[in-house]
Amino acid sequence: MILPPAMLGMLGGGQLGRYFVIAAHELGYKVTVLDPDANSPAGRIADVHLCSAYDDAAALASMAETCAAITTEFENVPAATLDFLAQTRTVRPSASAVAIAQHRVLEKQFVRDAGLPVAPFAVINTAQDLPADDSGLYPAILKVARFGYDGKGQARVADAAAAAAAFEQFGMQTCVLENMLSLDAEVSVVLARDADGHIVTFPVVENSHLNGILDVSIAPARISDVLKAKAQALATQLAQKLAYEGVLAVEFFISEGKLLVNEMAPRPHNSGHYTIDACVTNQFEQQVRALTGLPLGDARQHSAAVMVNILGDIWQDGEPAWSKATAHTALKLHLYGKHEARPGRKMGHFTTLAADRDSAHNQALIARSELGIG
């Protein structure tokens, strides 16, 4: 067990890293952030900001010397960085788990081989791997194997010709071609697993997306208790198969009443932001606890909640109308402190709280409209 006031390390300086720093500080820890952006939201509030690349030898040596344990806020940290730090320090999650989550082919194959349900897919290494029109995979989504997020590196394709064009557009890098199913809903489960294998799951969240980016998350999800329990069980099974240590998010499709694993994230997740205001322990405190060996916190939800993402698009006519959002007394506004607003960039979020889900949802939709979101 690593106790305060030890120094913890965070690879990545975005909003997820920022909330980790906040949670760690509240528990009495200090934090070093490694991020190449001098204006990174996490770096600006950390005790130490190493403004260097993720493979910078001097920065990694400094982190290895000063940090008792190290984690990450995003999955595209070089595996060699995690391996180097793990030689002398506690690193959670492991490089092997992150390597699977950062590569869609490895991820899909791991989930399938673990016995969990996934949508039909094909691995595309060359144009010759693209299935014919009669394969049963079309319509489909072509996704690059690495560095795709928030709808980037993805293309909807109706047939083999469209798939070939998209594959060429993606530079003929390895892709996954996944059958595009008719969806009843999309949900996610955020959980934490400690080094002893204990797992705590947060309530299942229902998600909707706009232009490939998460728009609204409703907690608890508007699905049956049977499906909620099944989703938590499948996420738990996946964490156990990975021998995972840390916070893990698992996204699911629900198609024709059946759950299918879509993808996983080896870190806290956008759809888990509601836990900051609506749960006894939020996902970032849970990340600190799993990293340091503290007992995992109570994940119980005490208020119905709806989270809405705030993207840079609403700054196009100047500063948004925050007075309208803050007029809602049960709305919690979170701005990430990013120095530049750009279309599609996550600049913040808000969460509405209520005694029941419908009331929270109605308030969220009103505030979303007042801010000009969507």
Side-chain angles (χ1 to χ4, degrees), residues 320-351:
W322 301 125
S323 60
K324 293 182 179 180
T326 54
H328 297 275
T329 57
L331 182 150
K332 302 296 184 179
L333 179 64
H334 297 266
L335 297 177
Y336 303 149
K338 295 184 178 180
H339 69 288
E340 180 186 6
R342 299 193 299 266
R345 190 182 197 191
K346 294 173 183 172
M347 300 296 293
H349 71 272
F350 69 79
T351 302

Side-chain angles (χ1 to χ4, degrees), residues 32-374:
T32 292
V33 165
L34 174 60
D35 189 283
D37 182 2
N39 295 304
S40 71
R44 289 168 63 185
I45 66 169
D47 299 274
V48 177
H49 177 199
L50 299 173
C51 189
S52 303
Y54 296 116
D55 58 357
D56 183 87
L60 293 180
S62 175
M63 183 169 269
E65 181 180 350
T66 60
C67 296
I70 300 157
T71 189
T72 178
E73 66 138 18
F74 74 123
E75 49 268 44
N76 290 322
V77 172
T81 292
L82 296 173
D83 283 331
F84 171 80
L85 293 170
Q87 291 175 18
T88 57
R89 289 292 180 257
T90 296
V91 174
R92 295 173 178 149
S94 67
S96 59
V98 173
I100 291 170
Q102 70 184 195
H103 196 284
R104 281 199 170 97
V105 172
L106 297 179
E107 179 184 58
K108 290 289 184 187
Q109 292 173 338
F110 183 90
V111 173
R112 179 198 62 198
D113 295 345
L116 279 71
V118 294
F121 71 93
V123 177
I124 312 300
N125 291 306
T126 69
Q128 287 68 40
D129 296 326
L130 290 166
D133 287 340
D134 60 0
S135 65
L137 276 179
Y138 300 103
I141 302 179
L142 187 70
K143 303 177 180 180
V144 295
R146 298 200 59 169
F147 306 118
Y149 66 97
D150 287 344
K152 297 178 176 64
Q154 298 186 18
R156 296 189 176 197
V157 295
D159 51 32
F167 185 58
E168 184 173 357
Q169 183 180 1
F170 291 154
M172 296 188 177
Q173 58 184 305
T174 298
C175 292
V176 170
L177 184 72
E178 182 178 314
N179 184 219
M180 192 163 66
L181 303 170
S182 174
L183 300 183
D184 307 332
E186 297 180 59
V187 300
S188 57
V189 174
V190 176
L191 61 79
R193 184 177 184 271
D194 67 18
D196 295 323
H198 301 132
I199 293 178
V200 174
T201 60
F202 287 97
V204 181
V205 182
E206 178 185 351
N207 303 313
S208 59
H209 295 77
L210 184 65
N211 299 323
I213 303 173
L214 181 63
D215 182 24
V216 177
S217 291
I218 301 171
R222 297 173 298 183
I223 60 175
S224 70
D225 289 343
V226 172
L227 278 177
K228 288 176 186 174
K230 181 67 172 175
Q232 289 176 319
L234 288 172
T236 295
Q237 183 182 343
L238 184 55
Q240 290 170 332
K241 291 283 188 180
L242 278 169
Y244 193 82
E245 297 177 7
V247 170
L248 177 72
V250 185
E251 298 180 61
F252 296 90
F253 294 140
I254 302 178
S255 180
E256 298 180 354
K258 297 179 180 179
L259 282 160
L260 299 165
V261 176
N262 175 27
E263 58 188 31
M264 57 182 167
R267 51 171 172 76
H269 194 255
N270 196 171
S271 68
H273 284 345
Y274 80 96
T275 64
I276 297 170
D277 301 302
C279 293
V280 175
T281 304
N282 68 56
Q283 62 173 346
F284 301 99
E285 180 183 340
Q286 209 74 300
Q287 186 182 22
V288 176
R289 288 176 169 273
L291 177 63
T292 59
L294 297 180
L296 297 178
D298 182 353
R300 176 169 42 92
Q301 185 176 354
H302 54 69
S303 300
V306 175
M307 189 281 301
V308 177
N309 264 333
I310 299 173
L311 305 183
D313 307 64
I314 67 170
W315 270 260
Q316 61 184 351
D317 295 322
E319 198 69 22
W322 301 125
S323 60
K324 293 182 179 180
T326 54
H328 297 275
T329 57
L331 182 150
K332 302 296 184 179
L333 179 64
H334 297 266
L335 297 177
Y336 303 149
K338 295 184 178 180
H339 69 288
E340 180 186 6
R342 299 193 299 266
R345 190 182 197 191
K346 294 173 183 172
M347 300 296 293
H349 71 272
F350 69 79
T351 302
T352 53
L353 305 175
D356 64 272
R357 185 175 51 204
D358 289 344
S359 296
H361 192 214
N362 289 337
Q363 288 300 310
L365 293 179
I366 292 169
R368 184 178 179 276
S369 176
E370 289 173 339
L371 286 173
I373 297 174

